[in-house]
Structure formats: structure tokens, C-alpha cells
Amino acid sequence: MQTLDPAPPSPDGARVSPAASRNVDPILRVLRAHLPASGPVLEIASGTGQHAAAFAAALPGIDWTPSDPSVEARASVEAWRDGGPLKLRPCLPIDVLDEATWPDMTFKAVFCANMIHIAPAAATEALMRLSARVLTRPGGLLALYGPFLETDVETAPSNLAFDDSLKARDPDWGLRDRDAVIAAAAALGLAFTLRKAMPANNLMLLFRAWP
């Protein structure tokens, strides 16, 4: 599964996403408010690794484990790890569509940004199944960040254009319906707890794993 948009690496191999640079601080504010003070956190589709490096540095009690199925992405994450925070773990080769790559361990939280709309529709349900398997219960946190379609909120023109551009690249890509995502989570015991409006017409959706 493709998770990394083309971006030239720096001489040390670390890639930089302008979008990740812009949204790291707003996302971090939400994570600070809802993550546990300590414990292991798994990031799905880490991409360049900027989020992983920034969050591991800003949340010293958290053991942050990045992951990505892309060889190029994992190389970029490892470049960000070099000389970075000690609690940024090696990047795992997790592909949500391949259960053989899923980790055999538990985490207090799972974080995923900007993945489910740039992936087949099956990736949403797979992410929920993976989270239901690895999150500690009760109370393990799943945090999703990105643009969504909402029946009760008018979609921004920029998000409609983005949705069209994604579908032009792959008909199975596109912004996911918020309520459909919530229903997919609920079917696996992940209770929707918070919708948080974010800059640039994005959302943070939070879920908790319950018995």
C-alpha cells in the first residue's frame, strides 16, 4: 500500500512533508490532552516520520512506535530517528491490509494521520480490526486525523476538490464518511468519544476500546 507521496530526501535520508510540518502542533495539542502519561503508542502509516520524531520528543513518557509498509518511508523515519528521542522506536513494516505484518503486542494508543483516504476503502475496516486487536482494554485510544465527509456539516470546497483528485488517481480512494468510519469502529468494540475540528478543514476523531 502506498503511503508516501513523492518528496526528495535530504542528504541524511529524512524526507519532509509540508503538510506534516503545518499540522504537527495542532495534533500534538490534542494528543497531550488525551494520551496517557506513559506507555507504548503505535503510529500507523508514519510516512516521512516527522510526526513520530516530533511527538516522541514532546511526549517523553511515551514509547512511540512508528510503522509504514513503504521501504522509502521507513528509511525516512529511521533518518529522523538518528540522533533523535530515545523513546522513538524502530519503524515497523506494518501494512494494515496484510495481517501477517501486524504486531503481536499491545499498545495504550494507536494514532493514524492522513491514511484512510489515500488507501483502498478496505483499509478503514482493516485499521479498526488492527486497533481492536492491539489496544489495551478498557480505555485504549484510537486517534484518527484527516479530512472526512459529514452529512451534518457542509464540506469545504477544498475538500471536495481533494476528494475528486484522489478518485481521479484511484477510484477506490477518497474522503471517507465520518459516520461510516464510526460504525466500522463500533462493530469492533471501539466507541466514538470525540470529534475535534482541526485547521485546514481536517478532523481528529477519537475512539476508546471497551470490553
Side-chain angles (χ1 to χ4, degrees):
M1 187 173 68
Q2 176 62 37
T3 62
L4 186 67
D5 283 334
S10 63
D12 64 2
R15 297 173 186 260
V16 175
S17 162
S21 299
R22 290 191 298 269
N23 62 37
V24 64
D25 287 336
I27 293 174
L28 178 59
R29 285 194 290 271
V30 178
L31 293 180
R32 281 190 192 278
H34 295 278
L35 284 178
S38 62
V41 173
L42 174 64
E43 181 182 10
I44 297 297
S46 296
T48 63
Q50 289 167 263
H51 282 162
F55 299 157
L59 303 165
I62 295 294
D63 291 299
W64 194 278
T65 298
S67 73
D68 205 285
S70 163
V71 173
E72 292 82 5
R74 293 198 301 275
S76 181
V77 174
E78 291 304 309
W80 280 99
R81 282 186 70 234
D82 187 24
L86 294 177
K87 289 197 173 182
L88 178 56
R89 303 305 186 187
C91 190
L92 301 179
I94 297 173
D95 185 334
V96 294
L97 295 174
D98 182 1
E99 290 193 31
T101 68
W102 294 5
D104 185 20
M105 60 189 78
T106 58
F107 297 87
K108 289 189 175 181
V110 173
F111 170 73
C112 182
N114 291 323
M115 187 272 285
I116 62 174
H117 57 281
I118 313 178
T124 301
E125 195 270 342
L127 174 64
M128 300 306 174
R129 284 191 291 112
L130 182 153
S131 299
R133 178 186 294 189
V134 305
L135 282 173
T136 57
R137 293 175 184 265
L141 174 70
L142 169 62
L144 299 185
Y145 171 86
F148 293 85
L149 299 175
E150 301 181 282
T151 57
D152 55 347
V153 178
E154 183 177 1
T155 304
S158 59
N159 277 2
L160 291 174
F162 184 38
D163 187 47
D164 288 341
S165 70
L166 291 172
K167 288 182 169 66
R169 292 169 64 183
D170 188 319
D172 203 20
W173 291 8
L175 274 61
R176 306 301 172 196
D177 178 78
R178 180 202 64 194
D179 292 339
V181 173
I182 291 171
L188 290 159
L190 303 173
F192 175 59
T193 59
L194 181 69
R195 171 198 181 274
K196 174 71 173 177
M198 303 292 282
N201 302 307
N202 289 302
L203 297 177
M204 283 281 282
L205 303 182
L206 302 187
F207 304 82
R208 293 285 178 178
W210 301 111

